[in-house]
Amino acid sequence: MNKLTLVVARSVIVAALFAVPLFADDDEALKKDLTAVIALQGLPCGQVVAVTELAKDDYAATCKDGNKYRVYMNAEGRVVVEKRK
Amino acid sequence: MKPWSIAVYSAVLLMLPLAGCASHKTEPQVAQPKTVATQPKTPEPVTEPQEPAASKPTASSPAPGEAAPAGTPATAPVPSGATQATKPATTPAPNGANPSPKAATKTAPPVAKAPTPPVTPPKPAAAAVASTVPAPLDLTALKEKLKATKAIGVFTKISLKNQVDDLMKQLSDHYQGKGKTTTMPELRRAYDLLLMKVLSLLQDSDQKLASEVVSSREAIWGLLSDPKKFATLQG
């Protein structure tokens, strides 16, 4: 294998390893945000443990207690939390 | 592979855990807010600057106070007499509230022993009085700070804004007398709850802003609860 290719490959691996914690940080911030939103609506959750982005400003959140919610912003600019089965 | 390249890669690998830790943000605001948070509590001692002086003797002499009927008057009178020596006529009410007047009357002789301790309290009291003067409410600045804070996520901010708008509409309906009749105490409760939500979100990560919100609490309600001022807010 070419020496340059080897260096580039190693650099990409190292960069990816550095990037993982950054993405994880963003993910944690989103979970915390959605946890607060759900709590503000007075709905049971505890803590959001998993988030899936359904669309822009539209998320599916899974809570620690097993509850699942869809959190999205409607056309009027209101944040809506809907319980999912 | 050359030895130097092995050393470089091993160094990089060793630094990876450090990089992971570096992405974790620690906020250095923890120490400041404590002092800020204590400010609202200071007014209490300010209003009763003489009580600490009076309470010191009682605190130091719970045994004497309780033991006064038991028959140990010689030890107890010394501190309480000292406090009364400086203010014989000005502090009859606090002493009347405490069970110390008996000791005060008996402490006439040892008055001269400790006149210095009560002299110090006035300075902090004066400074604290100056600090308790409420700063003028800058609603716009507070709003901008709330918008800019990183302690609250974007979705949470929007959700809070929705709830603020709901409360404003309720207040507007109340003043216009339309819709379901929500009483002013109910609206105040809703306002308090909303503020508590904001504070619960701020208090861990942005204590300075949290204390600003707390200190503006009554001023904001003053605007909301006055129909004329509320109308200017709406317009």
Side-chain angles (χ1 to χ4, degrees), chain B residues 49-144:
Chain B
Q50 294 168 357
E51 280 189 13
S55 62
K56 276 184 181 179
T58 53
S60 63
S61 62
E66 292 166 5
T72 57
T75 53
V78 178
S80 60
T83 55
Q84 285 214 342
T86 52
K87 304 146 192 171
T90 54
T91 60
N95 288 332
N98 291 332
S100 58
K102 287 181 183 178
T105 53
K106 294 175 185 177
T107 55
V111 163
K113 286 187 178 178
T116 47
V119 179
T120 51
K123 282 182 182 177
V129 167
S131 69
T132 53
V133 175
L137 174 66
D138 190 351
L139 209 57
T140 315
L142 198 63
K143 208 164 133 184
E144 289 306 313

Side-chain angles (χ1 to χ4, degrees), chain A residues 10 18 33 40-41 78-79, chain B residues 1 9 19 155-156 162 166:
Chain A
R10 283 172 180 167
F18 274 99
D33 194 11
L40 278 173
Q41 306 293 327
R78 289 190 72 91
V79 175
Chain B
M1 188 180 285
Y9 282 115
F155 259 77
T156 314
N162 295 156
D166 289 347

Side-chain angles (χ1 to χ4, degrees), chain A residues 56-82:
Chain A
K56 189 179 181 293
D57 295 334
D58 192 348
Y59 298 94
T62 307
C63 296
K64 204 173 184 177
D65 63 2
N67 280 311
K68 290 182 180 181
Y69 297 99
R70 181 183 167 209
V71 183
Y72 66 99
M73 201 189 308
N74 67 10
E76 295 162 0
R78 289 190 72 91
V79 175
V80 181
V81 181
E82 275 178 5

Side-chain angles (χ1 to χ4, degrees), chain A:
Chain A
M1 191 184 285
N2 188 352
K3 191 178 178 182
L4 182 65
T5 312
L6 201 66
V7 168
V8 169
R10 283 172 180 167
S11 301
V12 167
I13 290 167
V14 169
L17 287 169
F18 274 99
V20 166
L22 294 174
F23 283 119
D25 212 31
D26 285 347
D27 197 37
E28 284 306 309
L30 180 62
K31 284 176 188 173
K32 196 179 167 187
D33 194 11
L34 293 179
T35 301
V37 170
I38 294 166
L40 278 173
Q41 306 293 327
L43 295 166
C45 177
Q47 189 182 352
V48 171
V49 290
V51 180
T52 311
E53 188 170 1
L54 304 172
K56 189 179 181 293
D57 295 334
D58 192 348
Y59 298 94
T62 307
C63 296
K64 204 173 184 177
D65 63 2
N67 280 311
K68 290 182 180 181
Y69 297 99
R70 181 183 167 209
V71 183
Y72 66 99
M73 201 189 308
N74 67 10
E76 295 162 0
R78 289 190 72 91
V79 175
V80 181
V81 181
E82 275 178 5
K83 193 163 170 55
R84 288 160 62 108
K85 290 181 181 177

